[in-house]
Amino acid sequence: MTEQSFADRISRWYEQNARDLPWRDPDVSPWAILVSEVMLQQTPVVRVLPAWEAWLARWPVPAALAAESPADAIRMWGRLGYPRRAVRLHECAVALVERHGGQVPDRLDQLLALPGVGTYTARAVAAFAFGQRHPVVDTNVRRVVARAVAGEPDAGPTTRPSDLVATEELLPVEPAAAALASAAFMELGAVVCTARSPRCAVCPVESVCAWRASGQEAPAGPTRRPQRYAGTDRQVRGLLLAVLREATGPVPRPRLDQVWPDDVQRSRALAGLVTDGLVEPAGEATYRLVGDAPAPVGQNLT
């Protein structure tokens, strides 16, 4: 089967079976697509949906976010996880205003130059927002290509340059068709060609899948060991951020000390938040979200 027909089969399946997600609406803005791609990194769709809708309701254009503080972005991010993404989105919005008149650029090199926009996100925005021909490669896409083309049960834990090359070779030449195929590959890996329980019987390329023909089984265990959360610095960081998000001004260190009993771990987590640009000192033994407003006159910090 040719590369063209491979993409065609999956694209036709996608047009009939794709999930109805708001960032796939043809009228959605490039900014909204960029926000969705950042939020969807390591975060399930079901959690992203309400956060994305709330974010765009408050900041429908980059200039609206750029006009507010990083602390506002962190508060709005809530418990979506990996809150550095909120700061990066704020930095990105500022850069869009300063460099591109508040618009998301359509050139790949300019997208790659934006703060917090890496190889995957830049290509995803170029493809999904502007209909360009770029290989958009995430874990799901790598798994589809590894199985259907290379005959491997999985693609491994990280994206390699060869993954971009292999995926690009499968894309139709025409840009709009290639962009559609990129979305289709991703959707197939997310809902059919899953890591542990692939639904091969309903796969549009099951009859020509090299892995299916090999008779190999799906891996019994995860490609990467799931990260433990309970008792880790990530949990402590989350508890500290929760206090700072809910505060209306700087928070004294004794109040932060109440969130976790281990002094060494708590201090390490707080220092990490400062290093990552999420939290900043706000005077002697007080802290606040980065860029947050000072305490109102007369506020008691004890």
Side-chain angles (χ1 to χ4, degrees):
M1 184 172 65
T2 66
E3 288 83 358
Q4 181 72 41
S5 59
F6 179 87
D8 283 347
R9 286 192 183 197
I10 300 177
S11 294
R12 287 196 298 270
W13 167 88
Y14 176 82
E15 290 177 317
Q16 297 174 4
N17 298 280
R19 290 169 291 177
D20 183 17
L21 301 175
W23 43 82
R24 290 175 174 168
D25 189 300
D27 295 326
V28 78
S29 71
W31 167 244
I33 290 174
L34 191 157
V35 172
S36 75
E37 290 298 337
V38 173
M39 286 186 169
L40 286 165
Q41 295 167 14
Q42 298 179 289
T43 308
V45 167
V46 67
R47 294 186 60 203
V48 168
L49 277 168
W52 180 84
E53 291 170 346
W55 189 280
L56 270 299
R58 179 169 178 176
W59 298 309
V61 295
L65 174 58
E68 299 201 47
S69 74
D72 294 316
I74 296 170
R75 285 196 173 92
M76 197 68 180
W77 196 261
R79 297 183 178 276
L80 201 56
Y82 302 97
R84 275 179 291 181
R85 292 180 291 173
V87 177
R88 298 296 174 264
L89 264 177
H90 183 271
E91 293 173 348
C92 182
V94 172
L96 289 172
V97 171
E98 294 177 347
R99 304 176 195 173
H100 303 290
Q103 302 298 313
V104 176
D106 60 1
R107 282 173 40 188
L108 184 61
D109 61 336
Q110 293 177 332
L111 289 167
L112 287 166
L114 293 171
V117 175
T119 297
Y120 166 79
T121 303
R123 284 170 169 77
V125 172
F128 304 148
F130 300 108
Q132 297 178 10
R133 186 183 187 275
H134 296 288
V136 183
V137 181
D138 69 351
T139 300
N140 293 315
V141 174
R142 288 191 297 110
R143 185 168 56 253
V144 168
V145 175
R147 286 177 175 171
V149 179
E152 300 293 335
D154 217 327
T158 58
T159 300
R160 300 161 296 181
S162 59
D163 295 319
L164 292 171
V165 174
T167 303
E168 186 169 14
E169 290 176 350
L170 298 170
L171 296 177
V173 174
E174 201 275 318
L180 175 64
S182 290
F185 293 170
M186 192 174 301
E187 184 77 346
L188 187 71
V191 303
V192 172
C193 192
T194 57
R196 301 296 155 247
S197 302
R199 301 163 55 217
C200 297
V202 298
C203 178
V205 292
E206 187 269 344
S207 63
V208 293
C209 176
W211 173 62
R212 184 74 164 157
S214 73
Q216 298 180 68
E217 298 291 334
T223 301
R224 290 181 290 180
R225 181 178 298 177
Q227 293 184 343
R228 182 172 60 90
Y229 180 74
T232 64
D233 285 5
R234 279 186 60 211
Q235 182 184 14
V236 183
R237 285 163 60 102
L239 294 170
L240 291 168
L241 274 180
V243 173
L244 290 161
R245 279 199 308 267
E246 295 167 4
T248 57
V251 177
R253 179 63 183 265
R255 184 176 168 194
L256 293 173
D257 288 344
Q258 297 173 15
V259 307
W260 196 255
D262 187 326
D263 293 342
V264 173
Q265 187 178 23
R266 189 180 61 249
S267 295
R268 183 173 63 240
L270 181 58
L273 291 172
V274 173
T275 299
D276 289 344
L278 293 164
V279 173
E280 62 186 6
E284 185 176 355
T286 59
Y287 294 84
R288 66 185 180 189
L289 295 178
V290 63
D292 207 359
V297 176
Q299 177 176 316
N300 186 359
L301 298 180
T302 60

